[in-house]
Amino acid sequence: GKAGFLNGVTVLLLGVITLFAAILKDVSFVLAFGGATLGNALTFVYPALMYSNIVKKQQREGETLGVTVANISAVLGIVMGALG
């Protein structure tokens, strides 16, 4: 069932993380990658998603341009983050 699947995913993730911990000698790359990814998300993606959700939740009319620009910003943020 679902619990068995989640247990399998947990064991797999722990195994992969343990393998990386045994292989990697310098974790600065991992820390830099995580920092860059989180920084990009905090700058471009999360604000756009929050704005879009607020507009939707408050049922604001006439905000389609702002929501479109916010969504474009989020997509560009994801693309820039993927490209590095």
Side-chain angles (χ1 to χ4, degrees):
K2 187 175 181 179
F5 174 75
L6 290 177
N7 286 340
V9 170
T10 301
V11 169
L12 178 68
L13 284 173
L14 286 173
V16 169
I17 291 169
T18 303
L19 179 68
F20 281 148
I23 293 173
L24 292 175
K25 303 296 179 208
D26 183 17
V27 294
S28 63
F29 168 75
V30 176
L31 295 175
F33 181 76
T37 304
L38 182 59
N40 186 49
L42 285 173
T43 304
F44 294 105
V45 180
Y46 295 146
L49 293 176
M50 287 187 286
Y51 176 71
S52 297
N53 286 332
I54 292 284
V55 168
K56 185 177 180 181
K57 189 173 187 175
Q58 293 180 353
Q59 299 175 348
R60 295 184 193 173
E61 300 293 329
E63 299 260 354
T64 52
L65 178 63
V67 171
T68 302
V69 170
N71 289 335
I72 291 170
S73 172
V75 169
L76 287 175
I78 292 169
V79 169
M80 286 187 293
L83 293 177

